[in-house]
Amino acid sequence: MEKILVFGHKNPDTDSITSSIVMANFEKKLGHDAEACRLGNINKETEYVLKYLGVEAPRLIDSVEDGANVILVDHNSYEESIDNLDKVNILKVIDHHKIVLSTSYPLYFRAEPVGCTETVLYKMYKEYGFEIDKKIAGLMLSAIISDTLLLKSPTTTDEDKKAVEELAKISGLDPETYGLDMLKAGTDLSSFSIEEILNLDAKQVTLKDIKTVINQVNTASIEEVMKKKSELEEGMEKIIKEKDLDLFMLLITDIINSNSQVIALGKAAGIVEKSYGVKLEDNTALLKGVVSRKKQVIPILTENA
Ligand code: MN
Ligand code: MN
């Protein structure tokens, strides 16, 4: 069989990167020629993970040939994938997001409402009786901690907790200490330009007909990030113009206290007030207990759009 390219979403996070590696490994165990790829730069958190575990980053690609065999992990939408997704041969999808993909041919599609793609992969390894070695366990563990913010996000399920417990044993990593160090490594914004910060974890979504970008930045101190508020707003305005957006939401998420400060710009910014019953003062408000874009932001905004 021809080569299979495995990749996660654009602006890859730790889940997208590690899941592509782990899924490519899974495919190899099935006897397939699979290669992990990535659609963007490695962020600092993921860099910490790969360095710590001594694992090489997947190959960076910006396009694939029409007709190529691909496996998608951690996403299933056109907006977040390669531009010619409709012209490639999607063999499998392993995900934990809402389902938007539609194809004209059958495929293996596995999505579960769990906290992380790696939790689904962990279950698949078990089901197939494949060995989860120390490195694979470390990769899986890192992604689950990242996506669930140390099992504190409301997206966390018992299956994620169970996986973390066993993966901690196999990898020899302590989820609390290793996890916090890893999350903190991801909050170091010092070397990034404003433009880079605004693209680190930006998701473009259309809420009914409202063209939106929601960017999430993790931090150990909201105050520290808010020092750059006016520069961030300037950058956001620029992106709004370039992409003709109705709404740009920047979520600055406090990983220690599990709150998010939002900066909302664009003509549809009122949705944020309506959705959370807050008043935007100077374009910003504190969203208490909000840490999950997937569960606490996108569905609520869609409902109020
Ligand atoms: Mn992701
Ligand atoms: Mn994920």
Side-chain angles (χ1 to χ4, degrees), residues 2 32-33 41 49 78 122-123 131 139 185 208-209 230 259 266-267 273 292 298:
E2 275 175 77
H32 301 153
D33 181 13
N41 293 331
V49 171
Y78 290 89
Y122 166 80
K123 290 172 68 178
E131 189 211 352
L139 291 168
K208 286 178 189 153
D209 56 356
S230 53
N259 294 314
K267 58 178 182 281
E273 298 191 320
S292 167
I298 292 172

Side-chain angles (χ1 to χ4, degrees), residues 9 13 15-16 74 97 203:
H9 54 76
D13 51 14
D15 189 19
S16 269
D74 197 35
H97 294 88
K203 258 194 174 59

Side-chain angles (χ1 to χ4, degrees), residues 14 17-23 25-26 29 46 48-57 118 121-122 125 130-144 163 166-173 178 182:
T14 298
I17 295 295
T18 63
S19 288
S20 65
I21 299 169
V22 171
M23 185 59 188
N25 183 66
F26 181 91
K29 286 181 186 286
T46 312
Y48 179 91
V49 171
L50 296 178
K51 208 168 164 195
Y52 195 99
L53 301 173
V55 175
E56 221 177 291
E118 290 284 25
L121 287 170
Y122 166 80
Y125 270 70
F130 290 162
E131 189 211 352
I132 298 173
D133 65 26
K134 223 173 156 180
K135 271 188 186 167
I136 295 288
L139 291 168
M140 288 177 165
L141 179 76
S142 303
I144 302 173
E166 187 175 330
L167 293 169
K169 278 187 211 144
I170 302 170
S171 65
L173 297 167
Y178 168 77
M182 180 199 89

Side-chain angles (χ1 to χ4, degrees), residues 50-90:
L50 296 178
K51 208 168 164 195
Y52 195 99
L53 301 173
V55 175
E56 221 177 291
R59 180 165 63 97
L60 177 66
I61 55 170
D62 54 13
S63 63
V64 303
E65 277 174 39
D66 285 358
N69 290 320
V70 308
I71 291 177
L72 309 183
V73 292
D74 197 35
H75 76 297
N76 74 90
S77 78
Y78 290 89
E79 280 164 318
E80 289 183 278
S81 203
I82 45 166
D83 295 335
N84 59 337
L85 190 64
D86 56 341
K87 295 194 182 69
V88 300
N89 184 27
I90 306 170

Side-chain angles (χ1 to χ4, degrees), residues 271-298:
I271 302 174
V272 176
E273 298 191 320
K274 196 174 146 200
S275 300
Y276 297 98
V278 293
K279 186 105 197 79
L280 288 171
E281 272 172 52
D282 222 5
N283 309 317
T284 184
L286 181 71
L287 308 180
K288 282 199 184 130
V290 173
V291 293
S292 167
R293 173 170 51 195
K294 185 163 72 175
K295 223 166 181 173
Q296 297 172 297
V297 179
I298 292 172

